[in-house]
Amino acid sequence: MTVATVRRHQVLQYLGELEQNIAENDEAIAHLLHNGRPRRQRRRYWIRPWITRRTQYGYFDRLMKELETEDVFKKLAITLRYLATGESYTSLMYGFRVPHNTISLLIREVCESIIAEYANEVIACPTTTDEWQQIAEQFKNRWNLDHVIGALDGKHIAIKCPRNGGSLYNYKGFHSLIFMGLVDADYKFIWVDVGANGSASDATVFNNSELKDVTKNQNIGFPEADPLPNDNRNIPYFIVGDDAFPLRTWLMKPFARRTLTNEERIFNY
């Protein structure tokens, strides 16, 4: 049965009820004129039948919820496809039959919703000494490296050059944003920083980050310095990074690759 047929049936039913009510009112008026007082009518319906079908045919309860559900699933499907494959908006437009300018807006909207809902659950930076100590134990058991509380590095994500971006986002022949992350021994992110321009170095991004500030000020709950195995000197716990980062008591990096001694090669390994 089509929507038009249903609507026609509802209108006819409503007109029939209206005609019956008019007839009943005419009868009541005639009785009033004859007897001098109105006859009390017995109520036929507490709720008219066509109103009770609101959840079945009503715009809000049926059409609006249907559109909302389909719209959400379509947005999520397009975003997941984009994130998984890196397809262009034009390609997605023909695949999902959604205009590319709409896709450019909805992908950002869905990503922001995912971040708002799951960021604190998926990426939880430790804040207590016990939590950092657990990460250090993971590095010790898996990688045979003591006192490590995280591995730090940056990754360039290719983008189209923003309008009037100039060389600000240029990196080795392409434009990019920098994703910097701190991971535990199982490669799980425990802190991220996203959005620095591609021309910046990893050291610059880290020096401008909140992680650097709280690490330098020692107010993030790192364990107290204690000896390494088979030693009696206290060594602080530290983050490890590549040669692009500065050397600090809380940030360890390898020796430069030029003119290494055997001991330095062993240390880097």
Side-chain angles (χ1 to χ4, degrees):
M1 182 179 294
T2 65
V3 175
T5 304
V6 173
R7 295 297 184 200
R8 191 178 300 110
H9 177 73
Q10 291 176 338
V11 170
L12 292 175
Q13 183 177 1
Y14 174 74
L15 291 176
E17 294 176 357
L18 182 60
E19 183 179 0
Q20 184 174 356
N21 289 337
I22 292 174
E24 292 176 352
N25 289 335
D26 290 343
E27 182 183 352
I29 293 173
H31 181 79
L32 175 62
L33 295 175
H34 185 267
N35 297 324
R37 61 175 182 171
R39 184 180 62 183
R40 184 175 182 180
Q41 298 184 50
R42 184 177 182 182
R43 181 177 294 178
R44 261 185 90 196
Y45 303 113
W46 287 101
I47 300 178
R48 297 191 179 278
W50 66 271
I51 295 180
T52 63
R53 292 188 289 273
R54 176 175 54 221
T55 58
Q56 185 178 2
Y57 300 113
Y59 281 159
F60 180 81
D61 294 275
R62 182 180 180 183
L63 180 59
M64 296 303 294
K65 290 186 178 180
E66 182 178 348
L67 292 175
E68 179 183 5
T69 301
E70 289 186 358
D71 190 46
V72 170
F73 284 137
K74 185 179 294 183
K75 287 181 178 181
L76 181 60
I78 292 173
T79 302
L80 293 180
R81 178 74 178 182
Y82 173 76
L83 296 176
T85 66
E87 283 190 55
S88 67
Y89 293 163
T90 303
S91 175
L92 291 170
M93 175 179 67
Y94 291 114
F96 287 92
R97 289 169 172 74
V98 176
H100 63 84
N101 54 339
T102 302
I103 291 176
S104 68
L105 298 176
L106 70 85
I107 286 180
R108 179 182 293 273
E109 175 187 340
V110 173
C111 287
E112 290 175 350
S113 298
I114 292 174
I115 292 171
E117 182 68 25
Y118 295 107
N120 294 332
E121 177 181 343
V122 177
I123 303 175
C125 187
T127 56
T128 66
T129 300
D130 290 340
E131 291 173 334
W132 289 112
Q133 189 70 55
Q134 291 176 9
I135 294 177
E137 288 296 322
Q138 292 175 350
F139 274 100
K140 176 181 179 180
N141 296 331
R142 182 161 186 173
W143 301 108
N144 194 29
L145 194 58
D146 287 277
H147 281 53
V148 178
I149 51 178
L152 183 68
D153 203 2
K155 173 68 176 178
H156 287 264
I157 302 173
I159 63 169
K160 290 184 178 180
C161 183
R163 183 175 299 178
N164 301 323
S167 62
L168 191 62
Y169 296 87
N170 193 20
Y171 173 76
K172 295 184 178 180
F174 67 94
H175 297 90
S176 67
L177 294 175
I178 298 177
F179 173 97
M180 181 166 287
L182 183 71
V183 301
D184 64 15
D186 294 322
Y187 303 103
K188 179 181 178 181
F189 288 105
I190 54 179
W191 174 85
V192 296
D193 182 279
V194 185
N197 61 75
S199 62
S201 66
D202 284 351
T204 300
V205 177
F206 178 69
N207 286 334
N208 293 329
S209 69
E210 59 179 356
L211 180 62
K212 188 255 186 180
D213 293 336
V214 296
T215 303
K216 180 181 178 181
N217 297 329
Q218 295 293 309
N219 59 358
I220 196 173
F222 286 173
E224 294 292 333
D226 56 20
L228 294 171
N230 303 317
D231 197 2
N232 58 5
R233 293 172 296 179
N234 287 337
I235 299 295
Y237 287 75
F238 52 86
I239 296 170
V240 290
D242 60 23
D243 195 40
F245 295 98
L247 180 65
R248 299 287 185 269
T249 57
W250 39 265
L251 179 56
M252 190 66 66
K253 57 183 287 186
F255 287 101
R257 297 182 180 180
R258 299 177 181 177
T259 64
L260 293 176
T261 66
N262 287 336
E263 288 80 4
E264 291 171 344
R265 293 179 185 276
I266 293 172
F267 175 85
N268 282 1
Y269 172 79

